[in-house]
Amino acid sequence: MKVLITIEYNGKYFSGWQRQKKGVGVQEVLEDALSALLKENITLTASGRTDAGVHAICQYAHFSISSNFNLERLPYAVNTYLPEGVRVLSASVVDESFNARLSAHKKTYLYKIYTRKVLSPLREGYYANVPYDLNYDQMLKAAKLFLGKHNFKGFCSEGSSVKSFEREIYSFEIEKNLDEYYFKITGNGFLYNMVRRIVAAVVEVGKGKLSLKDITLALKEHNVKHITKNMPPCGLYLLNVEY
């Protein structure tokens, strides 16, 4: 039986999704907990990796089991084995052809910042602090430049072992609420640190340190001279995956 689970986790407790040589990954604690509960070795395949410090509101992963464990009970049962910072929200049977990573066709990420000049203890670890007065209208214009298919080689960090840097962005919204900004971006896939690089570039436009032309050139000609900043992981959330 192939099972799909929905997971929520706080990235500040983990070294990322994957099992790590140093530190603890979300995958490790989940596999250990599920193996202990189900009395068989469990290997998870997630919709994608998240880096150290990155949160997930809705991460998906699948695994196969030989038993007929009551899946309605599974989240409550396995959560008693899990440490602080991660919980299984739901579990369901999926077709044997389903793959949490390969079957995904849309992913949505959320990035949160606040612009207060004094650091907020209550937002530490969950928002990035950008202590500047930002030009919201210019940021909205910058966000529109990313829509559609582009070669995003200039908007990912080294270490992206992929065959193609082309990705498609379906929507990119920026919402402002007092001193907080929420960047919500949906695409067919994302490269290593791509979301954090894109948000950093848009924020630099808001500061007046990058122009719309700089963004256009980086997308069109892969001119990355000025696209060097990367937002910290604490403000990033995997919001949803669509299958």
Side-chain angles (χ1 to χ4, degrees), residues 37-221:
L37 173 68
L38 300 170
K39 305 295 189 293
E40 54 184 293
N41 290 327
I42 300 299
T43 301
L44 291 172
T45 298
S47 67
R49 305 172 186 176
T50 53
D51 294 330
V54 175
H55 314 292
I57 294 171
C58 188
Q59 169 72 287
Y60 290 99
H62 79 256
F63 61 93
S64 295
I65 54 173
S66 56
S67 64
N68 288 313
F69 195 91
N70 184 337
L71 296 185
E72 287 187 11
R73 286 187 53 243
L74 188 142
Y76 307 101
V78 75
N79 286 340
T80 64
Y81 289 80
L82 290 171
E84 183 180 8
V86 57
R87 289 294 179 265
V88 174
L89 305 180
S90 65
S92 59
V93 177
V94 288
D95 190 83
E96 287 299 320
S97 63
F98 178 87
N99 184 291
R101 182 174 67 87
L102 299 177
S103 300
H105 63 86
K106 279 187 183 180
K107 289 184 181 179
T108 299
Y109 282 90
L110 172 68
Y111 198 93
K112 299 181 181 182
I113 70 169
Y114 71 100
T115 58
R116 198 173 80 180
K117 304 299 188 289
V118 178
L119 289 174
S120 169
L122 295 178
R123 287 179 278 193
E124 185 179 353
Y126 303 100
Y127 290 72
N129 178 241
V130 182
Y132 288 84
D133 294 323
L134 300 176
N135 187 321
Y136 183 43
D137 290 337
Q138 284 296 100
M139 290 198 298
L140 291 174
K141 290 176 183 177
K144 287 182 180 179
L145 297 175
F146 290 97
L147 298 176
K149 289 184 180 179
H150 300 281
N151 183 319
F152 284 97
K153 188 174 183 180
F155 290 90
C156 68
S157 298
E158 291 184 9
S160 292
S161 54
V162 294
K163 294 180 180 179
S164 171
F165 291 94
E166 185 177 276
R167 298 291 185 274
E168 183 172 3
I169 302 299
Y170 302 121
S171 65
F172 190 175
E173 302 169 6
I174 307 173
E175 181 183 343
K176 183 178 186 295
N177 181 26
L178 300 177
D179 70 337
E180 296 182 354
Y181 292 81
Y182 312 106
F183 302 78
K184 190 164 72 171
I185 183 167
T186 300
N188 63 355
F190 295 92
L191 302 165
Y192 181 43
N193 283 342
M194 178 175 155
V195 175
R196 289 160 59 190
R197 284 271 173 133
I198 288 175
V199 173
V202 172
V203 168
E204 290 299 290
V205 170
K207 293 178 186 177
K209 295 185 176 182
L210 276 182
S211 68
L212 298 177
K213 185 178 179 181
D214 291 327
I215 303 294
T216 301
L217 286 174
L219 287 168
K220 189 175 180 180
E221 302 177 8

